[in-house]
Amino acid sequence: MGRIFDPVSLRLFIAVCEERNIARAAAREALVASAVSKRMAMLEADVGTPLLVRGRRGIEPTPAGETLLRRAREMLSLMARAHAELSEFQGGVVGNVRIVASVSALASGLPGDVACFLEAHPRLRVSLTERVGTEVVREVREGTADLGVVWDEVNTGQLVAQHYRHDRLGVLMPHDHPLAPQASVSLLETLAHPAVSVAPGGLLDGLLRRHAALAGATWMPRLEVASFEAAEHIVHAGLGLAIVPIGVTGDAAGALVCRPLSEDWAHRRLVVVSRTDDWLPAPARALRDHLLPRT
């Protein structure tokens, strides 16, 4: 049974489950596929029950495999934490931290805050990946990410959620748009004009559709784009207005204005989500504490 808890085999097992393919898992871990297959066979032999099965979407874990996948993530996370805490004795924060964040969080100053932290801790490595809100929570919960930054509208379950920043939604439009002279704009007023949706299917898109429906109307954007930067280009081209967090777009030419939405729900709260400190490596705790507002 000793090889079950070999960290290399556990890491390879996680890779196979996530990639759903031996070849892709091998490429991800810089190994040949035959070596990964052999490791998986040894793992199943030691456990005494099948862990993987080929399904319609590729390789999938069996019920026993799902249990091992969950525990493997926990064990590797615990080992990483132990290594990070021991490294603190060498002086300074050392290790790796993975952050997943929503597009709104990335556009609202998170990269700059992380960069500031890294200036003080140059031996720390941080990866910062964009995910939709529900994926942020899932990856933190499963231990594939240390920290998540997301709008608090997302159900964070049993995770620890701590206030990070506030933002407010506004209407981005050209200076000569009919709504531009107003100090603020309601969602209903925007519905009479062509619009562009950012990250369709995401939290912001869902929020706008929900509040339009509550007002007896329908949010029907003309175009859909994946980022706020792309939305700014669309608005510049005169193809429609966009509802975005105020301050996330540049507009160096000064051709656009962003008027705040007048509704109370347009004020939003971003949170840092993590597992409890018992499961959080020391470098991740240090970075999380840096992101939290000073009291």
Side-chain angles (χ1 to χ4, degrees):
M1 295 289 287
R3 283 182 300 208
I4 295 175
F5 302 107
D6 168 23
V8 175
S9 294
L10 293 179
R11 191 177 70 249
L12 291 177
F13 179 72
I14 292 171
V16 171
C17 292
E18 291 179 347
E19 299 294 338
R20 300 184 181 274
N21 181 280
I22 292 287
R24 287 198 299 268
R28 166 172 151 179
E29 298 297 328
L31 294 171
V32 296
S34 59
V36 176
S37 295
K38 184 177 179 180
R39 285 271 188 174
M40 296 304 98
M42 292 170 60
L43 201 55
E44 290 184 320
D46 283 343
V47 173
T49 189
L51 298 172
L52 299 167
V53 64
R54 187 167 295 279
R56 289 177 298 177
R57 297 186 299 167
I59 294 175
E60 298 178 352
T62 64
E66 290 281 4
T67 298
L68 178 60
L69 178 62
R70 183 171 63 254
R71 297 305 182 191
R73 285 169 171 158
E74 291 176 351
M75 284 186 280
L76 292 183
S77 177
L78 186 58
M79 291 174 67
R81 180 190 169 196
H83 179 272
E85 290 184 344
L86 288 173
S87 70
E88 289 185 287
F89 290 99
Q90 301 171 359
V93 179
V94 181
N96 300 282
V97 181
R98 185 178 179 218
I99 306 176
V100 287
S102 66
V103 63
S104 293
L106 289 172
S108 298
L110 178 61
D113 290 341
V114 172
C116 181
F117 180 78
L118 289 175
E119 287 181 5
H121 304 283
R123 300 168 66 195
L124 183 68
R125 294 176 58 191
V126 175
S127 67
L128 188 55
T129 308
E130 180 185 320
R131 291 285 187 267
V132 299
T134 53
E135 290 178 355
V136 169
V137 172
R138 177 184 60 78
E139 292 199 22
V140 174
R141 184 178 60 246
E142 293 179 352
T144 56
D146 299 299
L147 302 173
V149 184
V150 70
W151 181 22
D152 69 353
E153 182 85 0
V154 180
N155 180 10
T156 56
Q158 300 300 311
L159 295 175
V160 178
Q162 296 171 280
H163 171 63
Y164 169 52
R165 284 175 180 257
H166 288 287
D167 73 6
R168 184 176 181 180
L169 297 175
V171 183
L172 187 68
M173 52 194 160
H175 270 291
D176 59 356
H177 193 279
L179 298 176
Q182 300 180 195
S184 63
V185 181
S186 71
L187 177 62
L188 276 179
E189 288 176 304
T190 70
L191 299 181
H193 303 272
V196 54
S197 173
V198 181
L203 292 173
L204 177 56
D205 184 62
L207 177 77
L208 297 175
R209 293 183 187 280
R210 183 166 68 253
H211 282 283
L214 290 173
T218 303
W219 167 249
M220 293 184 63
R222 168 189 283 180
L223 298 168
E224 296 178 341
V225 297
S227 68
F228 294 123
E229 181 181 5
E232 182 179 356
H233 290 307
I234 297 295
V235 176
H236 256 299
L239 296 177
L241 54 78
I243 296 178
V244 300
I246 294 174
V248 303
T249 57
D251 185 32
L256 305 180
V257 295
C258 192
R259 302 297 187 220
L261 274 177
S262 57
E263 290 86 351
D264 289 340
W265 51 260
H267 294 266
R268 307 190 306 168
R269 182 172 174 261
L270 295 171
V271 293
V272 178
V273 294
S274 65
R275 296 199 288 176
T276 62
D277 280 4
D278 290 341
W279 289 102
L280 199 60
R285 293 201 308 272
L287 178 51
R288 178 203 60 192
D289 293 345
H290 170 80
L291 294 176
L292 300 181
R294 303 294 184 264
T295 56

